[in-house]
Amino acid sequence: MADMAARGEQPDVLFWVGCAGSFDDRYKKVTIAFVKILNKLGVKFAVLGTEESCTGDPARRAGNEFLFQMLAVQNIEVLNGYGVKKIVTACPHCFNTLANEYPELGGNYEVLHHSQFLQQLINEGRIKLQGGGEFKGKRITYHDSCYLGRANDVYEAPREVLQALDAELVEMKRSRRHGLCCGAGGSQMFKEAEPGTKEVNIERIEEALAASPDVVAVACPFCMVMMTDGVKNKEREADVKVYDLAELIDKSL
C-alpha cells in the first residue's frame, strides 16, 4: 500500500491478510491461493504489509477492551491515512471487527469477506472454472463459521462459490443458523479446554463425516485448525481433505 500511495495510485481493494493469514503455516496457503486468484483476474489490490496489526478481535473477546481499542485506533489511523474505502479479508473475525466494530472508533469502510468477493467475481463472469477441475463429482460439505454465519448472516455466498465447482454440496445435520461452532471462536482458540466429556471440534467433525464428504470446506482460519485437527483425531486424513474456499477455486481455475 505504501508503494502504491507513493506512486499516487489507489487500489480497487485492500486485502486485509490478518494474523493467521500472515503467520499460521496452514493459512498462509489460503493467503497465497487468494492472491493467485486476484492476480489471475487482474484485480488491482494492495496489502498493508508490516503496517497491518491484529484487528484486536481476540483481545476484545477475551475481555481486554483497552488492548482492543489501542490496536483498533492504530489500524484506523493507518487505513484512513491511505484513504482506504474497500477491504476484503479471508478471516471472519477480522471481517466482523472491521465491519461492525471499527465504525464506532472512526473506521468506516466497505468490508467484504473473501467468500462474498469470490461470489461477486463468479456472478460477474470473471471467474471461469474449467468444469470443476479436480473436484468434479466430489462430495463437499461446508462448515459455517459463527462470525460469518450467525453473526453476519452470510450463508449463501460460500455455498454459491462451492456450487460453481462441479461438485455435490452436502449439508451437515446442523448448518446455516443452526450450525455448530468449531470450538475456537471467542478467543477459545488461545486457552486450554474447560472440563467436559468431549471437545467441540470432535462433535463437529463427527457431523461432517456423517455426510460422507471427500472435502470439508471452511472459510475461517480458526475453523481450519479445528476441523483439520478433528479429521486427524478420526484418522481420516487420507480420504477427507479440509480446504478453504479460496484454495478450492484456485485449484479449479
Side-chain angles (χ1 to χ4, degrees):
M1 188 70 213
D3 295 342
M4 206 174 261
R7 296 194 300 270
E9 296 176 35
Q10 195 71 9
D12 296 330
V13 64
L14 178 89
F15 174 30
W16 186 276
V17 182
C19 301
S22 302
F23 301 115
D24 180 78
D25 285 341
R26 178 64 187 88
Y27 223 66
K28 282 181 201 172
K29 294 177 182 175
V30 177
T31 302
I32 292 166
F34 187 59
V35 166
K36 280 165 71 179
I37 294 168
L38 297 178
N39 284 335
K40 279 177 189 170
L41 300 181
V43 176
K44 189 177 180 184
F45 74 98
V47 296
L48 288 176
T50 54
E51 290 183 277
E52 178 188 306
S53 67
C54 179
T55 60
D57 164 81
R60 178 171 255 192
R61 303 298 162 247
N64 193 336
E65 183 65 17
F66 174 74
L67 179 57
F68 163 73
Q69 293 204 17
M70 197 167 75
L71 288 163
V73 167
Q74 179 183 321
N75 283 324
I76 289 166
E77 281 179 4
V78 171
L79 291 166
N80 290 352
Y82 285 124
V84 170
K85 300 280 188 290
K86 187 173 182 179
I87 301 173
V88 63
T89 179
C91 175
H93 296 258
C94 297
F95 165 69
N96 179 68
T97 305
L98 292 166
N100 301 324
E101 299 181 344
Y102 273 28
E104 64 185 359
L105 296 169
N108 294 284
Y109 320 103
E110 179 191 354
V111 187
L112 294 172
H113 182 255
H114 77 324
S115 63
Q116 297 171 308
F117 194 67
L118 291 170
Q119 178 201 23
Q120 285 180 8
L121 294 171
I122 289 167
N123 291 347
E124 289 166 7
R126 293 176 69 183
I127 288 181
K128 294 183 177 66
L129 303 178
Q130 301 162 351
E134 63 183 89
F135 302 106
K136 187 177 177 68
K138 293 282 176 72
R139 286 171 66 87
I140 299 178
T141 190
Y142 171 67
H143 164 73
D144 285 288
S145 155
C146 298
Y147 278 73
L148 202 55
R150 287 195 300 275
N152 287 286
D153 285 327
V154 179
Y155 296 113
E156 300 314 317
R159 288 172 171 82
E160 286 186 27
V161 170
L162 292 170
Q163 280 159 358
L165 302 166
D166 205 359
E168 182 187 356
L169 184 58
V170 290
E171 295 287 0
M172 294 184 219
K173 187 175 80 173
R174 285 182 278 192
S175 65
R176 289 186 165 85
R177 66 189 182 88
H178 298 295
L180 179 69
C181 176
C182 71
S187 249
Q188 298 297 311
M189 180 81 169
F190 307 106
K191 58 190 276 297
E192 292 301 316
E194 292 171 30
T197 56
K198 191 192 235 178
E199 294 280 3
V200 177
N201 68 317
I202 303 303
E203 174 82 10
R204 188 55 168 161
I205 204 66
E206 284 172 359
E207 285 188 8
L209 295 175
S212 303
D214 299 300
V215 173
V216 178
V218 297
C220 169
F222 292 1
C223 298
M224 172 71 83
V225 170
M226 301 306 267
M227 300 307 274
T228 302
D229 283 354
V231 169
K232 285 178 183 169
N233 178 272
K234 297 296 180 184
E235 299 182 349
R236 294 289 299 277
E237 303 109 300
D239 60 319
V240 178
K241 305 298 180 191
V242 183
Y243 287 124
D244 183 88
L245 300 177
E247 294 176 304
L248 293 167
I249 295 295
D250 175 50
K251 287 173 182 286
S252 303
L253 271 176

